[in-house]
Amino acid sequence: MNQLASLPNVSALADNAEHIAEERIFSDLINTLLAERFLDDQLVDWLTPEVLGRLLSLPDGPFWEWPVGTSCLRWWVDRDAKQAIVFPVKKAIVQPYRYVPSGGVFSVRFLDSGDIAEPWHKLTPVELLQHVIAVCLNEHQRQQKGVANVLDLLATTQWQLRQSIAGSTTERNLLGLSTAQCFQALERRAALRDRPFHPVAKAKQGLDEANHEYYAAEFDRPMTLRWIAMDRRQLMLGTQAVAGEMLHEPMDLILTAAERQAIEAEMASRGLARSTHLAMPVHPWQMEYGLPEHLSEMLAKGDGIPLETAGGVFQATSSLRSLAPIDSGRHYLKLPMAVFSLGAARYLPAVKLINGERGQTMLEQAKPLDPVLQTRLHLCEERQWWSYMPEGSGLFDDPPRHLGAMVREYPATLLEDQGVRLLPMAALGVPLFRDDGHFFDDWLRYRQLPEKADAIEGLFGEVCSGFFDIVLRLYRLGLMPEIHGQNAVLVWRDGHIDGLLLRDHDSVRLHQPWLDRNGIDDPDYQIRPGYSNSLYNDSPRDLLFYLQTLGIQVNLCAIIETLALHYDVEEASLWRVLRGCLKDRIAQLPFTAEERKTLQAVLFDDVRWPLKCVLRPLLEQQGVPGSMPSGKSTLPNPFRSEAFLSAEGVR
């Protein structure tokens, strides 16, 4: 197996954590640089086979880990000084070339003969990015605020990923755990990668080493919630958080009777009646750091009064601010944190909660329109929320966004069924850093299948079919949920994929004419004036953008990469399975002739596919948005790529 796929034991893992983290970052960074065309206008060529062969044969050289047959890309950062950066790449399906893991990135000077002059220098990811900034950006671009921030994000990613690899806990025998325990174990695994292929996804700016180890999911640390008594007149409520119905308030949903009584006793002793004040949970990190920094005026006015009594023990999930109860209950929490991840602040604005309600309503209206959606599409309940909204504030004002809470309720029919396992798709796409195994290991044993390519491809086909079936049925009605691997959760029941569970409904995209055709109401999303709007899509092709990018290039491609590494299966074979499942689902669903024509053209016939860019928008970033900065470009259609067609035997 590849070194990034598995390591032999925990002690070796700790010793290698720095190297593994660096190579994981190099893979994502270089692949992003190539995909987003940073080097397209640079002087780039290839080392000749003769020079590369001599390098690989050096007994004490730095290039011994490069596989035989590797191509070596040479980027001239200073042609006059004969100074270049070299790194190994291979032809790939999702983009023309991808970095070869564990190969290393080197700054070297070349002799007139073409050989490399000693000494050579092995770069760090930050040093590589510094070269990119110096050579690929102009002076105006280098002065953008985002540039310094990306350098900090990359450095933060490296130490936090190193810490996570060295200290994370994972579980074997996932099917031996309860449904809720297995779900949380897979959430911890998903947290090890966060957003696949994003070079700074792991960075959580604002957390020092102690807080990162305490609050990040992969370390499996329980935390006790803090509470604040909020003046009810200063709150906005979700439609399922009706004032006066105490069973729909946070304390009653997530605390034990003893914990609730302790908080009520403190409130009573301080003259804070439940009729005038609501006890709202606060993330302990936010209580210590976020509220004093961002809501000091609110605290001084007394709109919110911090309580001394703590209660409710939770753990982080793959999303730092989304918390799971340690008692395996179905009421989870989403709380704001003044932490920055993926270039965005992790606050919890009321506008996102409002849009989440409206997205959920659309999905609920869609279910009765399709018998399969009715039984196999599952939704988290996300209409129980409370948000600080003082008089005179607007939905897009900054300070109130740092205080709020949403109780996310998982379907009891799933979480309490011991024949069910909930599989965050992101957990299936995490390269394994130790010998803990992949969920497919458990699945193979359950089905009594051999660990062979045919069996792996068969199970992956079940993943693809189950996923595409739900997503395409929603697309046919004019909807496209946020289907990256963190939000899309497969329902595994008694050894088979039996449905899809969706959470985080605030970005359900739509094509209005198809909603109208099917009697689904316009959600009337709240969109900040002057900001881009990706929720309303003018054409079916626009809606398919999110299937191609989030659904396939991010979600399923990460699973392909991981399965290929862990089981030594050819990536092209898994892409072939994906294509077959996609074609089959399209053929089986009742699309019109015109709709089929669009699907065939966009997914299979077009020479190029869209790409969701992540690095350029970060470098150009000026402010602090509430969602990940991104842009658009294109890549070759993976089903028409040279690497895929070559594997198919097509020339």
Side-chain angles (χ1 to χ4, degrees):
M1 293 182 186
N2 185 286
Q3 184 174 0
L4 287 178
S6 178
L7 285 172
N9 55 59
V10 175
S11 61
L13 182 71
D15 293 340
N16 283 278
E18 182 73 38
H19 172 70
I20 298 169
E22 186 173 274
E23 283 301 316
R24 179 72 263 169
I25 295 166
F26 266 138
S27 289
D28 290 339
L29 178 58
I30 291 174
N31 292 338
T32 299
L33 292 172
L34 295 175
E36 297 186 14
R37 305 183 190 179
F38 276 82
L39 303 186
D40 275 16
D41 59 353
Q42 298 295 306
L43 184 56
V44 172
D45 60 15
W46 303 94
L47 289 189
T48 65
E50 293 77 17
V51 173
L52 181 57
R54 288 198 294 274
L55 292 176
L56 296 177
S57 66
L58 292 175
D60 57 349
F63 310 99
W64 62 271
E65 291 182 330
W66 292 10
V68 175
T70 293
S71 297
C72 181
L73 187 145
R74 175 169 54 185
W75 169 31
W76 293 100
V77 293
D78 188 338
R79 189 67 177 88
D80 293 338
K82 298 184 175 61
Q83 195 72 30
I85 291 173
V86 299
F87 50 84
V89 296
K90 62 180 179 180
K91 289 186 177 180
I93 292 171
V94 74
Q95 62 188 74
Y97 288 94
R98 289 174 70 80
Y99 176 72
V100 175
S102 297
V105 179
F106 298 89
S107 175
V108 297
R109 186 173 63 83
F110 283 83
L111 302 173
D112 291 338
S113 64
D115 283 336
I116 289 179
E118 295 188 43
W120 44 70
H121 172 58
K122 186 173 183 180
L123 297 177
T124 67
V126 169
E127 288 173 332
L128 174 61
L129 183 59
Q130 287 171 333
H131 280 289
V132 171
I133 292 168
V135 179
C136 298
L137 304 185
N138 60 39
E139 182 60 29
H140 173 73
Q141 292 169 326
R142 285 193 290 271
Q143 298 306 315
Q144 301 301 308
K145 294 179 181 178
V147 171
N149 186 51
V150 172
L151 284 168
D152 182 69
L153 281 167
L154 194 62
T156 302
T157 294
Q158 186 153 350
W159 74 255
Q160 289 186 351
L161 182 55
R162 179 195 67 235
Q163 188 182 44
S164 294
I165 292 168
S168 61
T169 65
T170 55
E171 299 280 352
R172 294 189 68 85
N173 188 24
L174 292 167
L175 294 182
L177 303 174
S178 71
T179 301
Q181 289 170 337
C182 178
F183 187 29
Q184 181 60 13
L186 290 171
E187 289 277 29
R188 288 196 297 272
R189 184 165 293 176
L192 280 168
R193 191 169 195 185
D194 210 295
R195 199 272 198 192
F197 311 119
H198 195 306
V200 296
K202 201 68 187 72
K204 304 295 180 283
Q205 286 177 306
L207 297 183
D208 60 20
E209 289 198 26
N211 282 320
H212 179 250
E213 190 170 3
Y214 193 81
Y215 293 118
E218 54 266 37
F219 300 101
D220 195 19
R221 301 281 185 87
M223 69 185 82
T224 303
L225 300 174
R226 297 294 307 278
W227 292 80
I228 187 167
M230 295 298 301
D231 184 335
R232 290 182 181 273
R233 295 171 298 179
Q234 310 300 327
L235 293 177
M236 178 177 284
L237 310 181
T239 58
Q240 296 298 312
V242 182
E245 294 189 16
M246 298 305 182
L247 291 179
H248 286 272
E249 295 195 349
M251 279 201 305
D252 307 285
L253 291 168
I254 65 174
L255 294 183
T256 65
E259 290 169 334
R260 184 171 63 251
Q261 289 166 8
I263 290 176
E264 288 175 332
E266 181 183 345
M267 289 178 65
S269 70
R270 299 174 67 172
L272 304 171
R274 285 194 71 171
S275 60
T276 59
H277 286 78
L278 177 139
M280 181 184 292
V282 181
H283 193 288
W285 185 92
Q286 185 77 347
M287 182 69 87
E288 184 174 356
Y289 300 101
L291 296 191
E293 178 179 353
H294 297 283
L295 288 173
S296 58
E297 184 177 339
M298 178 212 72
L299 296 173
K301 286 170 54 182
D303 286 351
I305 301 172
L307 301 176
E308 295 297 325
T309 306
V313 184
F314 282 71
Q315 291 178 302
T317 65
S318 57
S319 172
L320 188 70
R321 59 181 169 168
S322 294
L323 309 179
I326 64 165
D327 65 359
S328 299
R330 68 179 188 274
H331 293 104
Y332 287 51
L333 272 176
K334 187 172 184 178
L335 301 173
M337 295 180 71
V339 169
F340 298 91
S341 175
L342 294 170
R346 297 295 129 179
Y347 40 51
L348 190 63
V351 67
K352 287 278 190 179
L353 298 167
I354 292 169
N355 285 344
E357 283 210 15
R358 296 176 182 186
Q360 181 179 335
T361 297
M362 283 194 297
L363 293 170
E364 288 179 338
Q365 289 180 332
K367 289 186 64 171
L369 302 177
D370 184 302
V372 172
L373 294 180
Q374 184 72 32
T375 58
R376 295 193 174 185
L377 172 62
H378 307 273
L379 305 174
C380 285
E381 171 58 67
E382 299 186 352
R383 293 173 294 198
Q384 299 174 118
W385 56 265
W386 302 261
S387 184
Y388 177 48
M389 187 60 62
E391 185 177 353
S393 293
L395 289 176
F396 304 104
D397 291 348
D398 179 63
R401 297 185 281 187
H402 294 279
L403 184 57
M406 187 251 281
V407 174
R408 173 180 288 143
E409 185 174 351
Y410 282 81
T413 53
L414 298 180
L415 209 56
E416 297 172 7
D417 185 339
Q418 294 310 304
V420 166
R421 292 296 181 270
L422 298 177
L423 314 180
M425 294 185 74
L428 304 180
V430 179
L432 305 179
F433 303 118
R434 49 161 70 88
D435 60 350
D436 296 293
H438 191 277
F439 181 80
F440 271 40
D441 297 342
D442 299 80
W443 197 358
L444 289 167
R445 286 192 294 269
Y446 185 91
R447 293 269 289 270
Q448 298 182 341
L449 296 171
E451 190 177 304
K452 294 184 178 179
D454 287 350
I456 302 302
E457 292 168 14
L459 296 185
F460 179 63
E462 293 186 32
V463 167
C464 291
S465 291
F467 176 70
F468 287 139
D469 189 46
I470 299 299
V471 171
L472 288 171
R473 288 175 187 274
L474 288 169
Y475 165 76
R476 192 176 67 85
L477 300 175
L479 297 172
M480 185 63 66
E482 186 92 336
I483 49 173
H484 57 67
Q486 198 174 73
N487 286 357
V489 180
L490 294 170
V491 178
W492 182 98
R493 189 189 304 272
D494 298 326
H496 299 276
I497 301 301
D498 191 53
L500 189 67
L501 168 68
L502 296 177
R503 54 188 178 185
D504 259 353
H505 310 309
D506 58 29
S507 295
V508 179
R509 273 92 180 186
L510 62 94
H511 177 51
Q512 189 66 52
W514 286 9
L515 291 193
D516 295 341
R517 180 180 72 187
N518 290 289
I520 299 174
D521 297 332
D522 180 348
D524 191 24
Y525 279 132
Q526 298 291 305
I527 299 169
R528 189 169 190 167
Y531 278 64
S532 62
N533 165 27
S534 68
L535 298 176
Y536 289 87
N537 290 265
D538 293 334
S539 71
R541 176 182 284 267
D542 293 338
L543 206 56
L544 286 173
F545 170 89
Y546 300 97
L547 171 61
Q548 293 170 287
T549 55
L550 296 181
I552 296 177
Q553 291 171 341
V554 174
N555 185 351
L556 291 174
C557 185
I559 299 174
I560 287 175
E561 177 192 70
T562 300
L563 294 177
L565 285 169
H566 187 57
Y567 296 105
D568 197 24
V569 178
E570 291 293 330
E571 286 195 18
S573 298
L574 297 171
W575 276 101
R576 193 177 300 117
V577 170
L578 187 155
R579 181 186 62 179
C581 293
L582 188 54
K583 282 181 171 287
D584 178 70
R585 288 297 85 205
I586 292 170
Q588 295 298 321
L589 294 176
F591 289 107
T592 67
E594 186 63 28
E595 291 163 0
R596 290 185 191 282
K597 183 178 178 181
T598 297
L599 286 162
Q600 177 66 31
V602 172
L603 298 175
F604 304 109
D605 294 343
D606 285 357
V607 174
R608 300 190 71 81
W609 267 28
L611 169 70
K612 199 173 177 70
C613 297
V614 295
L615 186 55
R616 283 192 186 276
L618 269 179
L619 291 167
E620 297 166 357
Q621 186 177 5
Q622 295 294 317
V624 181
S627 58
M628 183 187 82
S630 66
K632 294 181 180 181
S633 184
T634 65
L635 281 173
N637 184 331
F639 305 124
R640 296 172 62 88
S641 68
E642 181 180 342
F644 185 74
L645 294 177
S646 177
E648 292 275 274
V650 178
R651 294 290 185 268

